[in-house]
Coordinates of all heavy atoms in Angstrom, one line a residue:
M1 N 28.5 7.5 -5.3 CA 28.2 6.3 -4.5 C 27.0 6.5 -3.5 O 26.2 5.6 -3.3 CB 29.4 5.8 -3.8 CG 29.2 4.6 -3.1 SD 30.8 3.9 -2.6 CE 30.3 2.8 -1.4
G2 N 27.0 7.8 -2.9 CA 26.0 8.0 -1.9 C 24.6 8.1 -2.5 O 23.6 7.7 -1.9
I3 N 24.6 8.6 -3.7 CA 23.3 8.8 -4.4 C 22.8 7.3 -4.8 O 21.5 7.2 -4.7 CB 23.6 9.5 -5.8 CG1 24.2 10.9 -5.5 CG2 22.2 9.6 -6.5 CD1 23.1 11.9 -5.2
N4 N 23.6 6.4 -5.1 CA 23.2 5.0 -5.4 C 22.6 4.4 -4.2 O 21.7 3.6 -4.2 CB 24.3 4.2 -5.9 CG 24.7 4.6 -7.3 OD1 23.9 5.2 -8.1 ND2 25.9 4.3 -7.7
V5 N 23.2 4.6 -3.0 CA 22.7 4.1 -1.7 C 21.3 4.6 -1.4 O 20.4 3.9 -1.1 CB 23.7 4.3 -0.6 CG1 23.1 3.9 0.7 CG2 25.0 3.6 -0.9
I6 N 21.2 6.0 -1.6 CA 19.9 6.5 -1.2 C 18.8 6.1 -2.2 O 17.7 5.7 -1.9 CB 20.0 8.0 -1.3 CG1 20.9 8.5 -0.1 CG2 18.6 8.8 -1.2 CD1 21.2 10.0 -0.1
A7 N 19.2 5.9 -3.5 CA 18.2 5.5 -4.5 C 17.8 4.0 -4.2 O 16.6 3.7 -4.4 CB 18.8 5.6 -6.0
F8 N 18.8 3.2 -3.8 CA 18.5 1.8 -3.5 C 17.5 1.8 -2.3 O 16.5 0.9 -2.3 CB 19.8 1.0 -3.1 CG 19.5 -0.3 -2.7 CD1 19.1 -1.3 -3.5 CD2 19.7 -0.6 -1.3 CE1 18.9 -2.7 -3.1 CE2 19.5 -1.9 -0.9 CZ 19.1 -2.9 -1.7
L9 N 17.8 2.6 -1.2 CA 16.9 2.5 0.0 C 15.5 3.0 -0.3 O 14.5 2.4 0.1 CB 17.6 3.4 1.1 CG 18.8 2.7 1.7 CD1 19.4 3.7 2.8 CD2 18.4 1.5 2.4
L10 N 15.4 4.1 -1.1 CA 14.1 4.6 -1.5 C 13.4 3.6 -2.3 O 12.1 3.4 -2.1 CB 14.3 5.9 -2.3 CG 14.5 7.1 -1.5 CD1 14.8 8.3 -2.4 CD2 13.4 7.5 -0.5
N11 N 14.0 3.0 -3.3 CA 13.4 2.0 -4.2 C 12.9 0.8 -3.3 O 11.8 0.3 -3.6 CB 14.4 1.6 -5.2 CG 13.7 0.9 -6.4 OD1 12.4 0.9 -6.5 ND2 14.4 0.4 -7.3
T12 N 13.7 0.4 -2.4 CA 13.4 -0.8 -1.6 C 12.2 -0.5 -0.7 O 11.2 -1.2 -0.6 CB 14.6 -1.3 -0.8 OG1 15.6 -1.6 -1.7 CG2 14.2 -2.5 0.0
L13 N 12.3 0.6 0.1 CA 11.3 0.9 1.1 C 10.0 1.3 0.4 O 8.9 0.8 0.9 CB 11.8 2.0 2.0 CG 13.0 1.6 2.9 CD1 13.4 2.9 3.7 CD2 12.6 0.5 3.8
L14 N 10.0 2.2 -0.5 CA 8.7 2.5 -1.1 C 8.2 1.5 -2.0 O 7.0 1.3 -2.1 CB 8.9 3.9 -1.9 CG 9.2 5.1 -1.1 CD1 9.4 6.3 -2.0 CD2 8.0 5.4 -0.1
G15 N 9.0 0.7 -2.6 CA 8.5 -0.5 -3.3 C 7.8 -1.5 -2.5 O 6.7 -2.1 -2.9
M16 N 8.4 -1.8 -1.3 CA 7.8 -2.7 -0.4 C 6.4 -2.2 0.2 O 5.5 -2.9 0.4 CB 8.7 -3.0 0.8 CG 9.9 -3.9 0.3 SD 11.1 -4.1 1.6 CE 10.3 -5.4 2.5
L17 N 6.4 -0.9 0.4 CA 5.2 -0.2 0.9 C 4.1 -0.3 -0.1 O 2.9 -0.6 0.2 CB 5.4 1.2 1.4 CG 4.3 1.9 2.0 CD1 3.9 1.2 3.3 CD2 4.7 3.4 2.3
S18 N 4.4 0.0 -1.4 CA 3.4 -0.1 -2.4 C 3.0 -1.5 -2.7 O 1.8 -1.8 -3.0 CB 3.9 0.6 -3.6 OG 4.9 -0.2 -4.2
A19 N 3.9 -2.5 -2.5 CA 3.5 -3.9 -2.7 C 2.5 -4.3 -1.5 O 1.6 -5.0 -1.7 CB 4.7 -4.7 -2.6
A20 N 2.8 -3.8 -0.3 CA 1.9 -4.1 0.8 C 0.5 -3.4 0.6 O -0.5 -4.1 0.9 CB 2.5 -3.6 2.1
F21 N 0.4 -2.2 0.1 CA -0.9 -1.7 -0.2 C -1.6 -2.5 -1.3 O -2.8 -2.7 -1.2 CB -0.7 -0.2 -0.8 CG -0.3 0.8 0.3 CD1 0.6 1.8 0.0 CD2 -0.9 0.8 1.5 CE1 0.9 2.7 1.0 CE2 -0.6 1.7 2.5 CZ 0.3 2.7 2.2
L22 N -0.9 -2.9 -2.3 CA -1.5 -3.6 -3.4 C -1.9 -5.1 -2.9 O -3.0 -5.5 -3.3 CB -0.5 -3.8 -4.6 CG -1.1 -4.1 -6.0 CD1 -2.1 -3.1 -6.3 CD2 0.0 -4.1 -6.9
L23 N -1.1 -5.7 -2.0 CA -1.5 -6.9 -1.5 C -2.7 -6.8 -0.6 O -3.6 -7.7 -0.6 CB -0.3 -7.5 -0.7 CG -0.5 -8.9 -0.1 CD1 -0.8 -9.9 -1.1 CD2 0.7 -9.3 0.7
R24 N -2.8 -5.7 0.1 CA -4.1 -5.5 1.0 C -5.3 -5.4 0.0 O -6.3 -5.9 0.4 CB -3.9 -4.2 1.8 CG -5.1 -3.9 2.7 CD -4.8 -2.7 3.5 NE -6.0 -2.4 4.3 CZ -6.0 -2.0 5.5 NH1 -4.9 -1.9 6.2 NH2 -7.1 -1.7 6.1
F25 N -5.1 -4.6 -1.1 CA -6.3 -4.5 -2.0 C -6.7 -5.9 -2.5 O -7.9 -6.2 -2.6 CB -5.9 -3.6 -3.1 CG -6.9 -3.5 -4.2 CD1 -8.1 -2.8 -4.0 CD2 -6.8 -4.2 -5.4 CE1 -9.1 -2.8 -5.0 CE2 -7.7 -4.2 -6.4 CZ -8.9 -3.4 -6.2
Y26 N -5.7 -6.7 -2.9 CA -6.0 -8.0 -3.4 C -6.6 -8.9 -2.4 O -7.5 -9.7 -2.7 CB -4.7 -8.8 -4.0 CG -4.2 -8.2 -5.3 CD1 -2.9 -8.1 -5.6 CD2 -5.1 -7.7 -6.2 CE1 -2.5 -7.6 -6.8 CE2 -4.6 -7.2 -7.4 CZ -3.3 -7.1 -7.7 OH -2.8 -6.7 -8.8
L27 N -6.2 -8.8 -1.2 CA -6.7 -9.7 -0.1 C -8.2 -9.2 0.1 O -9.0 -10.1 0.5 CB -5.9 -9.5 1.2 CG -4.6 -10.2 1.2 CD1 -3.8 -9.8 2.4 CD2 -4.7 -11.7 1.1
Q28 N -8.5 -7.9 0.1 CA -9.9 -7.5 0.3 C -10.8 -7.9 -0.9 O -11.9 -8.2 -0.8 CB -10.0 -6.0 0.5 CG -9.4 -5.6 1.9 CD -9.3 -4.2 2.1 OE1 -9.5 -3.4 1.2 NE2 -9.1 -3.7 3.3
A29 N -10.2 -7.8 -2.1 CA -10.9 -8.1 -3.3 C -11.3 -9.6 -3.4 O -12.4 -9.9 -4.0 CB -10.2 -7.7 -4.6
T30 N -10.4 -10.5 -2.9 CA -10.7 -11.9 -3.0 C -11.3 -12.4 -1.8 O -11.5 -13.6 -1.7 CB -9.4 -12.7 -3.2 OG1 -8.5 -12.4 -2.2 CG2 -8.8 -12.3 -4.6
N31 N -11.7 -11.6 -0.8 CA -12.3 -12.0 0.4 C -11.4 -13.0 1.1 O -11.9 -14.0 1.7 CB -13.7 -12.5 0.2 CG -14.7 -11.4 -0.2 OD1 -14.5 -10.3 0.2 ND2 -15.6 -11.8 -1.0
A32 N -10.2 -12.8 1.2 CA -9.2 -13.6 1.9 C -9.6 -13.5 3.4 O -10.0 -12.5 3.9 CB -7.8 -13.3 1.7
P33 N -9.3 -14.6 4.2 CA -9.6 -14.5 5.6 C -8.5 -13.6 6.3 O -7.3 -13.8 6.1 CB -9.5 -16.0 6.1 CG -8.7 -16.7 5.0 CD -8.9 -16.0 3.8
F34 N -9.0 -12.8 7.2 CA -8.1 -11.8 7.8 C -7.6 -12.4 9.1 O -6.9 -11.8 9.9 CB -8.8 -10.5 8.0 CG -8.8 -9.7 6.8 CD1 -10.0 -9.6 6.0 CD2 -7.7 -9.0 6.3 CE1 -10.0 -8.8 4.8 CE2 -7.7 -8.3 5.2 CZ -8.8 -8.2 4.4
R35 N -7.9 -13.7 9.4 CA -7.3 -14.3 10.6 C -6.0 -14.9 10.2 O -5.3 -15.4 11.1 CB -8.3 -15.5 11.1 CG -9.7 -15.0 11.3 CD -10.0 -14.5 12.6 NE -9.8 -15.4 13.7 CZ -9.7 -15.1 14.9 NH1 -9.9 -13.8 15.2 NH2 -9.5 -15.9 15.9
N36 N -5.7 -14.9 8.9 CA -4.4 -15.4 8.4 C -3.3 -14.6 9.0 O -3.4 -13.3 8.9 CB -4.4 -15.5 6.9 CG -3.3 -16.1 6.3 OD1 -2.3 -16.5 7.0 ND2 -3.3 -16.3 5.1
P37 N -2.1 -15.1 9.4 CA -1.1 -14.2 9.9 C -0.5 -13.2 8.8 O -0.1 -12.1 9.2 CB 0.0 -15.2 10.3 CG -0.7 -16.5 10.7 CD -1.9 -16.5 9.7
L38 N -0.4 -13.7 7.6 CA 0.1 -12.8 6.5 C -0.9 -11.7 6.3 O -0.5 -10.5 6.2 CB 0.2 -13.7 5.2 CG 0.6 -12.8 4.0 CD1 2.0 -12.3 4.1 CD2 0.4 -13.6 2.7
S39 N -2.3 -12.0 6.3 CA -3.2 -10.9 6.2 C -3.1 -9.9 7.4 O -3.2 -8.7 7.2 CB -4.6 -11.4 6.2 OG -4.8 -12.3 5.0
Q40 N -2.9 -10.4 8.6 CA -2.9 -9.5 9.7 C -1.6 -8.7 9.6 O -1.6 -7.5 10.0 CB -2.9 -10.4 11.0 CG -4.1 -11.0 11.3 CD -4.1 -11.9 12.5 OE1 -3.0 -12.1 13.1 NE2 -5.3 -12.4 13.0
M41 N -0.5 -9.2 9.2 CA 0.7 -8.5 9.0 C 0.5 -7.3 8.0 O 1.0 -6.2 8.3 CB 1.9 -9.3 8.6 CG 3.2 -8.6 8.5 SD 4.5 -9.5 7.6 CE 3.8 -9.5 5.9
V42 N -0.1 -7.6 6.9 CA -0.3 -6.6 5.9 C -1.2 -5.5 6.4 O -0.9 -4.3 6.1 CB -0.8 -7.2 4.5 CG1 -1.3 -6.2 3.5 CG2 0.3 -8.1 3.9
V43 N -2.3 -5.9 7.0 CA -3.2 -4.9 7.5 C -2.6 -4.1 8.6 O -2.8 -2.8 8.6 CB -4.5 -5.6 8.2 CG1 -5.4 -4.7 8.9 CG2 -5.3 -6.2 7.0
T44 N -1.8 -4.6 9.5 CA -1.1 -3.8 10.5 C -0.1 -2.9 9.9 O 0.1 -1.8 10.4 CB -0.3 -4.8 11.4 OG1 -1.3 -5.7 12.0 CG2 0.3 -4.1 12.6
M45 N 0.6 -3.3 8.9 CA 1.6 -2.5 8.2 C 1.0 -1.3 7.5 O 1.7 -0.2 7.4 CB 2.5 -3.3 7.2 CG 3.5 -4.2 7.8 SD 4.5 -5.2 6.6 CE 4.7 -4.1 5.3
T46 N -0.1 -1.4 7.0 CA -0.8 -0.4 6.1 C -1.9 0.4 6.8 O -2.3 1.4 6.3 CB -1.3 -1.1 4.8 OG1 -2.2 -2.0 5.2 CG2 -0.2 -1.7 4.0
D47 N -2.2 0.0 8.0 CA -3.3 0.8 8.6 C -3.0 2.2 8.9 O -3.9 3.1 8.9 CB -3.7 0.1 10.1 CG -4.8 -0.9 9.9 OD1 -5.4 -0.9 8.9 OD2 -5.0 -1.7 10.9
F48 N -1.7 2.5 9.1 CA -1.3 3.9 9.4 C -1.7 4.9 8.3 O -2.0 6.1 8.6 CB 0.1 4.1 9.8 CG 1.0 4.0 8.5 CD1 1.4 5.2 7.9 CD2 1.4 2.8 8.0 CE1 2.3 5.1 6.8 CE2 2.2 2.7 6.9 CZ 2.6 3.9 6.3
A49 N -1.8 4.4 7.1 CA -2.1 5.3 6.0 C -3.5 5.1 5.4 O -4.1 6.0 5.0 CB -1.1 5.0 4.8
V50 N -3.9 3.8 5.5 CA -5.3 3.5 4.9 C -6.4 4.1 5.7 O -7.3 4.6 5.0 CB -5.4 1.9 4.7 CG1 -6.7 1.6 4.3 CG2 -4.3 1.5 3.8
I51 N -6.4 4.0 6.9 CA -7.5 4.5 7.8 C -7.8 6.0 7.5 O -8.9 6.3 7.3 CB -7.3 4.1 9.2 CG1 -7.4 2.6 9.4 CG2 -8.3 4.8 10.1 CD1 -7.1 2.2 10.8
P52 N -6.8 6.9 7.6 CA -7.2 8.3 7.3 C -7.6 8.6 5.9 O -8.5 9.4 5.6 CB -5.9 9.0 7.5 CG -5.0 8.2 8.4 CD -5.5 6.8 8.0
V53 N -7.1 7.8 4.9 CA -7.4 8.0 3.5 C -8.8 7.5 3.3 O -9.6 8.0 2.4 CB -6.4 7.4 2.5 CG1 -6.8 7.5 1.1 CG2 -5.0 8.2 2.7
R54 N -9.2 6.5 3.9 CA -10.5 5.8 3.8 C -11.6 6.7 4.1 O -12.7 6.6 3.6 CB -10.5 4.5 4.5 CG -11.7 3.6 4.2 CD -11.8 2.4 4.9 NE -10.8 1.4 4.4 CZ -10.4 0.4 5.0 NH1 -10.8 0.0 6.2 NH2 -9.5 -0.4 4.4
R55 N -11.4 7.6 5.0 CA -12.4 8.6 5.4 C -12.7 9.6 4.3 O -13.9 10.0 4.2 CB -11.9 9.4 6.6 CG -11.9 8.6 7.9 CD -11.4 9.4 9.1 NE -11.1 8.5 10.2 CZ -10.0 8.7 11.0 NH1 -9.3 9.8 10.8 NH2 -9.8 7.9 11.9
A56 N -11.8 9.9 3.4 CA -12.0 10.8 2.4 C -12.3 10.1 1.0 O -13.0 10.8 0.2 CB -10.7 11.6 2.2
V57 N -11.8 9.0 0.8 CA -12.0 8.3 -0.5 C -13.0 7.2 -0.3 O -12.8 6.2 0.5 CB -10.7 7.7 -1.1 CG1 -10.9 7.0 -2.4 CG2 -9.7 8.9 -1.2
P58 N -14.2 7.2 -1.1 CA -15.2 6.1 -0.8 C -14.8 4.9 -1.6 O -14.0 4.9 -2.6 CB -16.4 6.8 -1.4 CG -15.9 7.7 -2.5 CD -14.6 8.2 -1.9
S59 N -15.4 3.8 -1.2 CA -15.2 2.5 -1.9 C -16.1 2.4 -3.1 O -17.2 3.0 -3.1 CB -15.5 1.4 -0.9 OG -14.6 1.4 0.1
I60 N -15.7 1.7 -4.1 CA -16.6 1.6 -5.3 C -16.8 0.1 -5.5 O -15.8 -0.6 -5.7 CB -15.9 2.2 -6.5 CG1 -15.6 3.7 -6.3 CG2 -16.7 1.9 -7.8 CD1 -14.9 4.3 -7.4
F61 N -18.1 -0.3 -5.5 CA -18.5 -1.7 -5.8 C -17.7 -2.7 -4.8 O -17.1 -3.7 -5.2 CB -18.2 -2.2 -7.2 CG -18.9 -1.4 -8.2 CD1 -18.3 -0.6 -9.1 CD2 -20.3 -1.4 -8.2 CE1 -18.9 0.2 -10.0 CE2 -21.0 -0.6 -9.2 CZ -20.3 0.2 -10.1
K62 N -17.6 -2.4 -3.6 CA -17.0 -3.1 -2.5 C -15.5 -3.3 -2.7 O -14.8 -4.2 -2.2 CB -17.6 -4.5 -2.3 CG -19.1 -4.4 -1.8 CD -19.6 -5.8 -1.6 CE -21.0 -5.8 -1.0 NZ -21.6 -7.1 -0.8
L63 N -14.9 -2.4 -3.6 CA -13.5 -2.4 -3.7 C -12.9 -1.2 -3.0 O -13.4 -0.1 -3.2 CB -13.1 -2.3 -5.2 CG -13.5 -3.6 -6.1 CD1 -13.2 -3.2 -7.5 CD2 -12.8 -4.8 -5.6
D64 N -11.8 -1.5 -2.2 CA -11.2 -0.4 -1.4 C -10.3 0.4 -2.3 O -9.2 0.1 -2.6 CB -10.4 -1.1 -0.3 CG -10.0 0.0 0.7 OD1 -10.6 1.1 0.7 OD2 -9.1 -0.3 1.5
T65 N -10.9 1.6 -2.8 CA -10.1 2.4 -3.7 C -9.0 3.3 -2.9 O -8.1 3.7 -3.6 CB -11.1 3.4 -4.4 OG1 -11.8 4.1 -3.5 CG2 -12.0 2.6 -5.4
S66 N -9.2 3.3 -1.7 CA -8.1 4.1 -0.9 C -6.8 3.3 -1.0 O -5.8 4.0 -1.0 CB -8.6 4.2 0.5 OG -8.8 3.1 1.2
T67 N -6.8 2.0 -1.0 CA -5.5 1.4 -1.0 C -4.9 1.5 -2.5 O -3.7 1.6 -2.6 CB -5.6 -0.1 -0.7 OG1 -6.6 -0.7 -1.5 CG2 -6.0 -0.3 0.8
L68 N -5.8 1.5 -3.5 CA -5.3 1.6 -4.8 C -4.7 3.0 -5.0 O -3.6 3.3 -5.6 CB -6.4 1.4 -5.9 CG -6.7 0.0 -6.1 CD1 -7.8 -0.1 -7.1 CD2 -5.5 -0.8 -6.6
L69 N -5.4 4.1 -4.4 CA -4.9 5.4 -4.5 C -3.5 5.5 -3.7 O -2.6 6.2 -4.3 CB -5.9 6.4 -3.8 CG -5.4 7.8 -3.9 CD1 -5.4 8.4 -5.2 CD2 -6.4 8.6 -2.9
L70 N -3.4 4.9 -2.6 CA -2.1 4.9 -1.9 C -1.0 4.2 -2.6 O 0.1 4.7 -2.6 CB -2.2 4.4 -0.5 CG -3.1 5.2 0.5 CD1 -3.4 4.4 1.8 CD2 -2.2 6.4 0.8
T71 N -1.3 3.2 -3.4 CA -0.4 2.4 -4.1 C 0.2 3.4 -5.2 O 1.3 3.5 -5.5 CB -0.9 1.2 -4.7 OG1 -1.4 0.4 -3.7 CG2 0.1 0.4 -5.5
F72 N -0.8 4.1 -5.9 CA -0.4 4.9 -7.0 C 0.4 6.1 -6.4 O 1.4 6.5 -7.1 CB -1.8 5.5 -7.7 CG -1.4 6.5 -8.7 CD1 -0.9 6.1 -9.9 CD2 -1.7 7.8 -8.5 CE1 -0.7 7.0 -10.9 CE2 -1.5 8.7 -9.5 CZ -1.0 8.4 -10.7
L73 N 0.0 6.7 -5.4 CA 0.7 7.9 -4.8 C 2.1 7.5 -4.3 O 3.1 8.2 -4.5 CB 0.0 8.5 -3.7 CG -1.4 9.2 -4.1 CD1 -2.1 9.8 -2.8 CD2 -1.0 10.3 -5.0
T74 N 2.3 6.3 -3.8 CA 3.6 5.8 -3.4 C 4.5 5.6 -4.6 O 5.7 6.0 -4.5 CB 3.5 4.5 -2.6 OG1 2.5 4.7 -1.6 CG2 4.8 4.0 -2.0
Q75 N 4.0 5.0 -5.6 CA 4.9 4.9 -6.8 C 5.1 6.2 -7.5 O 6.3 6.4 -8.0 CB 4.1 3.9 -7.8 CG 4.2 2.5 -7.5 CD 5.6 2.0 -7.4 OE1 6.4 2.1 -8.3 NE2 6.0 1.4 -6.2
L76 N 4.2 7.2 -7.4 CA 4.4 8.5 -8.0 C 5.5 9.2 -7.2 O 6.4 9.8 -7.7 CB 3.1 9.2 -8.0 CG 3.1 10.6 -8.6 CD1 3.3 10.5 -10.1 CD2 1.8 11.3 -8.4
L77 N 5.4 9.1 -5.9 CA 6.5 9.7 -5.0 C 7.9 9.0 -5.2 O 8.8 9.8 -5.3 CB 6.1 9.5 -3.5 CG 7.1 10.0 -2.5 CD1 7.2 11.5 -2.6 CD2 6.7 9.6 -1.2
L78 N 7.9 7.7 -5.5 CA 9.1 7.0 -5.8 C 9.8 7.6 -7.1 O 10.9 7.9 -7.1 CB 9.0 5.6 -5.9 CG 10.1 4.7 -6.2 CD1 11.2 4.9 -5.2 CD2 9.8 3.3 -6.4
Q79 N 8.9 7.7 -8.1 CA 9.4 8.2 -9.4 C 9.8 9.6 -9.3 O 10.9 10.0 -9.9 CB 8.4 8.0 -10.4 CG 8.0 6.6 -10.8 CD 9.2 5.8 -11.3 OE1 10.0 6.3 -12.0 NE2 9.4 4.6 -10.8
F80 N 9.1 10.4 -8.5 CA 9.5 11.9 -8.4 C 10.8 12.0 -7.6 O 11.7 12.8 -8.0 CB 8.4 12.5 -7.6 CG 8.7 14.0 -7.3 CD1 8.7 15.0 -8.3 CD2 9.0 14.5 -6.1 CE1 9.0 16.3 -8.1 CE2 9.3 15.7 -5.8 CZ 9.3 16.7 -6.8
L81 N 11.0 11.1 -6.6 CA 12.3 11.2 -5.8 C 13.5 10.7 -6.6 O 14.5 11.2 -6.3 CB 12.1 10.6 -4.5 CG 11.2 11.2 -3.4 CD1 11.0 10.3 -2.2 CD2 11.7 12.5 -3.1
L82 N 13.3 9.7 -7.4 CA 14.4 9.1 -8.1 C 14.7 10.0 -9.3 O 15.7 10.1 -9.8 CB 14.1 7.7 -8.5 CG 14.1 6.7 -7.4 CD1 13.8 5.3 -7.9 CD2 15.4 6.7 -6.6

């Protein structure tokens, strides 16, 4: 029973984090206004990880590849932990 609880929490938390990274990528790709409260929430939630990774990973064709990399790594970590 304890394993199921931990698996549920990991799936929920890491799934929401990867969704936030992916939403940030989509918002930047579509040039959505960042004055929107939803956009500000997503940027605030993901800045802790995106800013350091952005220094090492360059953007390609004005697409923020650091957020895509973080999404992939978050899902990879989730699959590894489960």
Side-chain angles (χ1 to χ4, degrees):
M1 182 168 164
I3 302 277
N4 289 338
V5 171
I6 292 171
F8 173 73
L9 287 175
L10 281 174
N11 198 8
T12 302
L13 294 176
L14 290 178
M16 290 173 82
L17 184 62
S18 66
F21 287 140
L22 202 56
L23 184 59
R24 180 179 177 136
F25 174 76
Y26 287 147
L27 288 172
Q28 289 176 348
T30 60
N31 293 327
F34 283 101
R35 309 270 303 163
N36 186 353
L38 177 68
S39 300
Q40 289 178 354
M41 180 192 73
V42 169
V43 169
T44 303
M45 282 177 40
T46 58
D47 266 348
F48 76 95
V50 172
I51 290 175
V53 173
R54 191 178 283 164
R55 293 182 192 140
V57 178
S59 296
I60 299 174
F61 301 116
K62 294 185 179 180
L63 294 176
D64 191 16
T65 55
S66 61
T67 55
L68 282 179
L69 177 67
L70 285 169
T71 304
F72 176 74
L73 291 176
T74 305
Q75 285 297 309
L76 187 66
L77 177 67
L78 177 63
Q79 293 301 317
F80 177 72
L81 291 175
L82 290 180

